[in-house]
Every structure is written in C-alpha cells, then in structure tokens.
Amino acid sequence: MMLGLGQYAAGTRPAECRSVLGRWAYRRSNLLFVMIVVLLVAACGEGIERTDVGLTASDGCVFPAEVTRTDGARPGVWVLLGHQFTGNRRDWDGLRDDLVERDLIVMTWDFRCHGEALCVTETKGESVEQIWREWMASLDYAVAQGATTIYAAGASMGGTSLIQVAAERDEIAAVAIVSSPNRFKGLDALARYKFVMIPKLFVVGRADSFAPVFSRRYHDEAMGPSRLLMLETELHGTTLIQDEHWLSLIHISEPTRRYAISYAVFWLKKK
C-alpha cells in the first residue's frame, strides 16, 4: 500500500490506470493523499527546530547549548534557562516545551562540569564560582542571533549566578529565580544586587530548608520591582519545575512595562 502511494506521488501510473476508471481512481488516490498530508501538517502544527550550539566561555571553557523554537517564533524574544547544581540542561525540558509552544525562543545549556560540558576543575563544586561565564557567553550568543528581548530564569546556583550577571548586563529584561541561595560555592549574588533594577520573581517552596530565607532576603532587599511566591512544597530548584502539579500552574507573560505592576516574566496561573 505504501509503495502504491509512493508510485502515485512520483507520477508513475500502473497499467490498469490507463482506463477511464483507472484514471478516475488515480486522481482520487492523489487527492486523498494530498488531503492526508494537509491534515497531518495541520494536526502537527508549526514545526519545532532544535539547534545544538558549542559555546566557549571567556576563560576558554567549552560547553554545549541548545536553542529551541517553532517556525512561527516571535523574532527577537528569547528565554534563557540556567540549571541547578548537579543538574543539566535536560532539567528544563518540560518548561522549555511549554515556552516554545508560546512562540518564544528558548536557550538551555550545561554549566561546566555538568551534563556534557567539559570540566576544568577536579570537582563540580570547584567549578561553580565560574559558571557566570556561561551566562555571559549564552547572552552574547543570543544577542548575536538577533535577540532584542531576553528573559532569564535560574534554578538554585543557576539563579544565584544569574543575579550576578544581571547586575552587569542590561540586555536582560526580567528574571525568575527558583530556590536560589544568596551565596554558593564562591558565587555572591548580593555583592552587586542593588544594581539589579529589572523585574524579579522569586519562587521557592515554603518547606525547602533554608531556601525561603534566601528568597525572602532577595525580595526584601530588592531595588526595583520584585515579587515573592512561596509554594506549599519542599521541592527545590528544577525538581519543583519538573513536578507536573507545579509546572501545570506556571506560564509566561511579557511585562507590558518595567514598573511595579510588571514583576517578572513568570507568573502563576489563577486556579
């Protein structure tokens, strides 16, 4: 059957199609084939394009990144996602897919010594102090690819390092920080925190050890718009984002302006 469709699609008619009835059947077969293709394309929606990128941080550390978008993605609107300690870029797959469906361009990567990234130190812990460099390289890549509006989210150490970078890079429009400590293995998000004036959203589980204390401090000391969301869970970082219950509540919304009513790009849906 598949061979027959292939022959028709290629324009090759079997001998019996030379009759009037055969020609009618042939036209009907081609029409049906075209209709099936159209329906399948409509059902599948816009195509998903994933691009693997090899990036190099300013100190020479090489790390893998991935950019995902639909054919109809809004030009220039990017979301960058940085994972937690011992995690990797796959931790964001669920949220990434949700954001891509909203026609946003999403970039994820593995921090040094994590996932498929090279390790330039003996242990993961020793590498953490420098992961801000991966944020810088990822931002540079996004800008070079035409990004004009960049939202960013970081989980645990990914958020701590993001705040450090947000104090230096004005390309970032808003940040979402999930379960992030104020300081972690050489990272210090508070050192220049007063310069992070963009909208900020802090998401944390109320029962997640000391994480609520860190998130509260971020919120209380924030300069510019800030919102703190305490969730009734003990889940931490990307494990919170991966949970189907919490992921089902999260969506994305572009701030209309950078004032107090525009806290950040990530919000919780109303039940």
Side-chain angles (χ1 to χ4, degrees), residues 105 119 121 185 244:
I105 302 170
C119 195
T121 56
K185 295 184 181 297
E244 291 185 1

Side-chain angles (χ1 to χ4, degrees), residues 111-207:
F111 286 118
R112 61 188 64 200
C113 286
H114 290 74
E116 300 173 359
L118 295 178
C119 195
V120 294
T121 56
E122 291 187 5
T123 66
K124 281 183 171 62
E126 293 174 328
S127 72
V128 172
E129 186 175 2
Q130 301 299 323
I131 66 170
W132 59 270
R133 298 179 187 273
E134 280 86 284
W135 274 109
M136 291 291 196
S138 298
L139 282 164
D140 289 342
Y141 177 83
V143 171
Q145 294 300 309
T148 55
T149 302
I150 300 176
Y151 303 120
S156 197
M157 74 168 189
T160 308
S161 54
L162 170 57
I163 291 175
Q164 268 192 215
V165 170
E168 307 290 339
R169 300 290 295 260
D170 58 9
E171 299 98 331
I172 303 174
V175 295
I177 308 298
V178 185
S179 314
S180 295
N182 304 142
R183 299 181 177 92
F184 183 69
K185 295 184 181 297
L187 296 172
D188 188 351
L190 298 178
R192 292 175 56 81
Y193 185 46
K194 64 181 180 180
F195 297 106
V196 184
M197 304 293 292
I198 56 177
K200 298 168 285 293
L201 175 65
F202 301 99
V203 180
V204 66
R206 193 180 301 275

Side-chain angles (χ1 to χ4, degrees), residues 9-261:
T12 302
R13 301 189 184 187
E16 59 269 24
C17 286
R18 294 172 184 168
S19 66
V20 175
L21 181 59
R23 287 194 296 271
W24 176 83
Y26 171 70
R27 288 195 295 270
R28 288 293 297 273
S29 297
N30 272 338
L31 179 60
L32 179 60
F33 179 70
V34 172
M35 289 177 64
I36 290 173
V37 171
V38 170
L39 289 173
L40 285 175
V41 170
C44 292
E46 295 173 325
I48 302 294
E49 175 187 340
R50 289 193 177 92
T51 304
D52 293 321
V53 182
L55 297 179
T56 303
S58 57
D59 62 350
C61 181
V62 178
F63 63 100
E66 182 177 286
V67 178
T68 309
R69 72 184 79 199
T70 63
D71 293 338
R74 285 176 281 172
V77 184
W78 287 56
V79 180
L80 274 56
L81 304 173
H83 65 76
Q84 66 187 44
F85 185 60
T86 73
N88 59 71
R89 67 185 188 276
R90 296 275 76 86
D91 294 345
W92 293 108
D93 283 0
L95 181 59
R96 176 206 63 194
D97 293 345
D98 182 66
L99 299 179
V100 168
E101 287 178 2
R102 301 172 191 276
D103 293 330
L104 296 159
I105 302 170
V106 180
M107 184 174 184
T108 57
W109 61 89
D110 292 337
F111 286 118
R112 61 188 64 200
C113 286
H114 290 74
E116 300 173 359
L118 295 178
C119 195
V120 294
T121 56
E122 291 187 5
T123 66
K124 281 183 171 62
E126 293 174 328
S127 72
V128 172
E129 186 175 2
Q130 301 299 323
I131 66 170
W132 59 270
R133 298 179 187 273
E134 280 86 284
W135 274 109
M136 291 291 196
S138 298
L139 282 164
D140 289 342
Y141 177 83
V143 171
Q145 294 300 309
T148 55
T149 302
I150 300 176
Y151 303 120
S156 197
M157 74 168 189
T160 308
S161 54
L162 170 57
I163 291 175
Q164 268 192 215
V165 170
E168 307 290 339
R169 300 290 295 260
D170 58 9
E171 299 98 331
I172 303 174
V175 295
I177 308 298
V178 185
S179 314
S180 295
N182 304 142
R183 299 181 177 92
F184 183 69
K185 295 184 181 297
L187 296 172
D188 188 351
L190 298 178
R192 292 175 56 81
Y193 185 46
K194 64 181 180 180
F195 297 106
V196 184
M197 304 293 292
I198 56 177
K200 298 168 285 293
L201 175 65
F202 301 99
V203 180
V204 66
R206 193 180 301 275
D208 180 12
S209 188
F210 291 103
V213 177
F214 301 139
S215 296
R216 171 61 68 180
R217 183 172 184 181
Y218 281 132
H219 179 63
D220 290 345
E221 298 183 11
M223 300 293 290
S226 175
R227 186 183 184 193
L228 174 62
L229 291 174
M230 292 273 193
L231 308 179
E232 300 303 325
T233 179
E234 62 182 12
L235 296 177
H236 179 82
T238 46
T239 57
L240 188 158
I241 300 300
Q242 291 168 336
D243 184 85
E244 291 185 1
H245 171 67
W246 297 114
L247 179 59
S248 68
L249 297 178
I250 295 175
H251 77 123
I252 192 164
S253 173
E254 290 187 54
T256 55
R257 60 180 186 267
R258 296 185 186 181
Y259 299 119
I261 62 170

